[in-house]
Every structure is written in C-alpha cells, then in structure tokens.
Amino acid sequence: MCGIVGYIGEEQAAPILLDGLSKLEYRGYDSAGVAVYNGEEIQMVKSMGRLKVLNELTHDGAMLPGTVGIGHTRWATHGVPSDANAHPHLNKTGSIVVVHNGIIENYVKLKQQLTRRGYEFRSETDTEVVAHLLDYYYRGNPLEAITRLMHRLEGSYAFGIMFQDHPDEIYAVRKDSPLIVGHADTGSLIASDVPAVLKYTRSVYFIENGEIVRLTREGMQFYNIDEEEISKEPVTIAWDVNAAEKGGYEHFMLKEMYEQPKVVRDTFSPRLKNGDIVIEELGMTDQEIRDIGKLYIVACGSAYHTGMTCKYVFEGLARIPVEVDLASEFRYRNPILDEKTLVIIVSQSGETADSLAALREVKKRGIRVLGIVNVVGSSIAREADNVMYTWAGPEIAVATTKAYSTQLIAQYLLAMKFAKVRGEISQETLEVMLEDLERLPEQMEMLLSNKERIQRFANRYLAAKDVFFIGRGIDYAISMESSLKLKEISYIHSEAYAAGELKHGTISLIEDGTLVAAVLTQEDLFKKTMSNMVEVKTRGACVLAVTVVGNTEVEKNADYVIYIPKTNQYFTNSLAIIPLQLFAYYVSIGKGCDVDKPRNLAKSVTVE
Ligand code: M6R
C-alpha cells in the first residue's frame, strides 16, 4: 500500500528514485511522483497512472537535476487516483514536501482546523494535512516541527520529508507503516521495503514506531519523539540482488512459480538434521510443546489458506485442536485464549495491517505468538515472541506463489515436530514423511515442466464468466487458494466450495459449459468428491480434475485430468497448487491482464 523512497548523495537523485520506485511498484500503482531539490527550489513531477508515465515525463529522471529527493508510488485510499492526489504533497509555498505511506485517521478534523487558519487544500488526500501541519509548526528546526506533527497525528504513517531551507537533509519517520534506511557508498536512502535499496546496500536499519531519521550524504542520525539522539544496529540482508529482477522471465509471477522447488528446499533443508526436525528459532522446550492445548493460525488472503490446509495437518498429525482465523475478524472478535494457546501469525510481508494488529492483540493478553514470516526484520517478525522465517526471497508479483509454498512447508515442519514430541508419530513414520518432504522440489519441477499443456487448456477458458473449485478437507483448502489466484489476476468470478456443500445451494449456478475444477488428492475422500464431480457433470459442467497419479477412474467423469505425483496425504497441496497456479497465470495473460500488478490490488496491505 504505497511505496516511498528517498535519496541524498553524490549521484543524481531522480534516476535512483525512479529505480527504487520500480522495485516498490507492487505496493501500489495508481499514480507516482518525485520531488527533487535542484539547487534553488524543490521541483516536483507527479502523474496518475503507472510509473512508466512518470519515467516518460521526466525522461527517466534526466530532466530533474539535483542530488536529493523523495518519491512515491500510490495505492489510493483517500481520493481517487489523479494527478492532484498523487504524492508528493507540498505546503503552500512549496518549501516543504512530503511522501506518505499509511492513513491519517484524524485528517478530517485536522483539515478543518487548518482551513480555519487559512490553509488551502489542492487534493482530497489525508496526506496533504501533513504538509500544511508541518508548515504551521515549522520555525526553522525540522526535528521540532516533525515531533510536534507526530503528537497530532492518529493512524499509520511512514513519511519522507524535505525542507527547502535544509537542502542537505531528508527526514524520515514511522508509525505502523514499514520504513527502512540504509547508507551506501554514494549516499543515504530511505524506502518502504528492502528490494528498493538492495542494489546500493545490504546493510539496512529498520525504523521502529516513533523513531525519526535525519539522512545526510555522509550518513544518518536517529532520534526519538523527544528529539533525543538514539543508536541503532543495522541488519544485513542476505537476499541476492538479482532475486528482485525478472531474470529473463516474462513476468515476476512466472519466475516466482519456477523458483518454488528451490525456495521450498531452502525452507526445509536447514531444519532437517539426522532424521529429525530442528527448529531452534521456535524457542519452545519439549514440555512447552506437549503443553499446547490449542493452536490459532491467524492470517490474511493466501497466508490464511495455508492455515486452512495446515489445520488438517496439525490436527491429523499432532492431534492439537486448531482454529484458523482471518486476521481482520480475529482482531475484533475477542477470541478465547489461555496460557496453553499458541498463536501462529502467517505473513509473507510481515507488514499486513490486520495480521499485525491481531499479533498485538494476542501479545497484550500475554499469549505466546509465533510468526511465520518471509521478510526479515519486518514488523511481525520483530514483534512476535519467536519467528520462523520462510526462505522464499523477495516476492514481487502481487499474486503470491513461492511465499505461499514456503508457508506450507514451515507449517508441515512444525506439525511433524509437534507430532513427534507429543508422541503422536513414531521416529519411523517421521523419517518416511521426511523422505516425501525432500522429494517435493523434484516433483514440483516435474509439474512445472508441463506448463504448455496447461496453457492450451487455459486458453479455452479466457471467456469464462464463472469458475468453481471444489474439494474436501485439504482439497477444499487447495480450492480456496486456486480460486483466489484465478480471480485476483484474471478478473474471472470464481468460488471455492467444500464439495459436500454444493447441493445446499451452489449447484443451482452450474450451467452448460461452466468450468468446475475438482481437486481429489485425499484417498479417503476420493469417492465422495467423485460423486460430487458426477453431480456437476450431469448438470452440464465441464470438469477439470486434479488428482494423484493412478486415480484413472476420474477420467470417466472429467473432461480434462491433471495428475500429481504420489506424496504423503498431508503434503498434496504443495503439488496440486502448481498446475492451478499455472492455469490462473495463463488465463490472465491470455486475457491480456497485467498479471504482476492486477487492478485495485497491492502486494503489501498495510491499511486495514
Ligand atoms: O503479506 P501477507 O502474507 O500477510 O499477505 C496476505 C495477503 O494479502 C496475500 O496473501 C494476498 O491475498 C495475495 N494477493 C494473494 O495472492
């Protein structure tokens, strides 16, 4: 939800800002803008539309001289996407400029007060109050104006701020929206996320709530809200610089799907030792694991779907009752938690506003929270009691694929570990399961190599109006993820249904030619889902079946069959999702959609 960047150094700022914004465009792409101090004044260019419009307007930054500047890519919250609402925003004289990620919740009240004081507003955004409020408080000392501003604001923010009469400084400040800063050989940078600075430095500082940074060409100083200087330690980012590039693939989503075998292996292999699972970062003794009375898995979107799958895995293997909650519901529903509860928050970005709020709610009650997070040093990673990282590397496409796959692996590892420690599975069973786990990357590769066949099938459904995904148990969870994948990138209406529920209403939607994807990977549920498949087939549906190799019986009732290799019944999601991701991808590109940046969406949902 919006990306901010800033640079001050020896080089021309605008090209660096535009390059940084290109790495953050996944956070929002309604409009973009940059402001650069050109030696005399702050020069600003902003425009509705994708970053490429801004690149064209500025000749890739060449027409903006100056070595200090800030930039923004927007996901609209307050005010439609337009040139006027695009960031940066200026005070009345154009001497103070601001970019913002987040939401100022009390902006209406502040706007009324500022209007009464004679300030005029040029946009409908909440952010513009910040530029005017800074103007109101500014008496030549940026730090003082910023801290006074912070006392007035409610909501979430990460700001990049420049003052024309302090042309050798950029200020950055944060509350509840991500912000990092780093110092490279040629200058200092701010950004909403690591990929924007990776090319220049791997050593970054994660800014905490209420902290302010003053960046200069030589380095940076950190302050608290009382204007006292504080010290911070940098974190070294291990991500490969090329990991955030397309690397010859047409789209990030395709590249990330192809990275799945590797990142899945990267996630499990460091945690497998001599036939055992060692998760040091879990920070729990065997007795504490035995004492767990209940698990909550709390997340949003696809991360929530991994929880839906792993509920079956934790309950089936470790016999621990599990509730899976959407973070946006959990945080407001006063859940019943006690000291025997372990809450697992799953998040790729580690910044999802609802997941973070759910975590804080749980911690307030003194309950242990484990984060399963991809982005190192993100808010959820820092605030959870313990964090288990998924080693997916930077994920750029809005539709998650590789992070989703690693979230499954992290939870399989936990479930097997818990099952073993609690005496629910033997060492022998564990070893057999680990062999299956270690085979997954190779099996995923095999499924990915089948992409042309799936593309041909997908091309037949570019005009589909509705698609249904059905399954039972884990297959229902796979259906939920497959349905989300298809709808978010192809804009085709799609629903996932527990196959047994069809007859309770949804089956009336089936017409001649409606595509129904039936997922049948669970041996004990195979016959049941087969019957549901037959029911929709009889009513005219075209059936795509995804099942395990050997289940040739489905061919009688399916129009098209995709076979996945044999694996442990709890791991089938990791394989069945591959062809269904490919299906969604090829429908999307067949329809000419912007697969990496689907309309109305942003990668990191940092507002609730
Ligand atoms: O960063 P998170 O894992 O917390 O994000 C959660 C969801 O926003 C995310 O999975 C979203 O549903 C994706 N667009 C799905 O592809």
Side-chain angles (χ1 to χ4, degrees), residues 43 299 442 489 565:
Q43 203 181 342
E442 196 186 306
I489 60 173

Side-chain angles (χ1 to χ4, degrees), residues 223-236:
Y223 301 91
N224 64 20
I225 198 164
D226 297 321
E227 297 177 48
E228 295 160 338
E229 193 164 346
I230 52 172
S231 59
K232 285 182 77 72
E233 286 302 313
V235 174
T236 303

Side-chain angles (χ1 to χ4, degrees), residues 300-303 346-349 352 398-400 407 484-485 488 605:
C300 301
S302 297
V346 187
S347 175
Q348 186 284 128
S349 61
T352 300
V398 165
T400 178
Q407 287 164 353
L484 177 64
K485 215 80 307 167
E488 73 178 322
V605 184

Side-chain angles (χ1 to χ4, degrees), residues 286-351:
D286 285 358
Q287 190 52 49
E288 283 171 329
I289 292 173
R290 282 191 281 273
D291 284 346
I292 299 172
K294 186 165 185 174
L295 280 177
Y296 280 84
I297 305 175
V298 182
C300 301
S302 297
Y304 166 78
H305 295 156
T306 68
M308 289 294 291
T309 296
C310 294
K311 172 183 169 69
Y312 297 101
V313 187
F314 279 111
E315 290 189 342
L317 283 176
R319 307 305 297 154
I320 305 175
V322 180
E323 277 200 46
V324 190
D325 266 67
L326 290 164
S328 53
E329 292 293 317
F330 179 88
R331 62 183 290 194
Y332 294 118
R333 82 171 170 86
N334 193 12
I336 300 163
L337 311 171
D338 63 26
E339 70 284 358
K340 287 183 176 269
T341 305
L342 173 65
V343 177
I344 303 178
I345 307 273
V346 187
S347 175
Q348 186 284 128
S349 61
E351 300 292 349

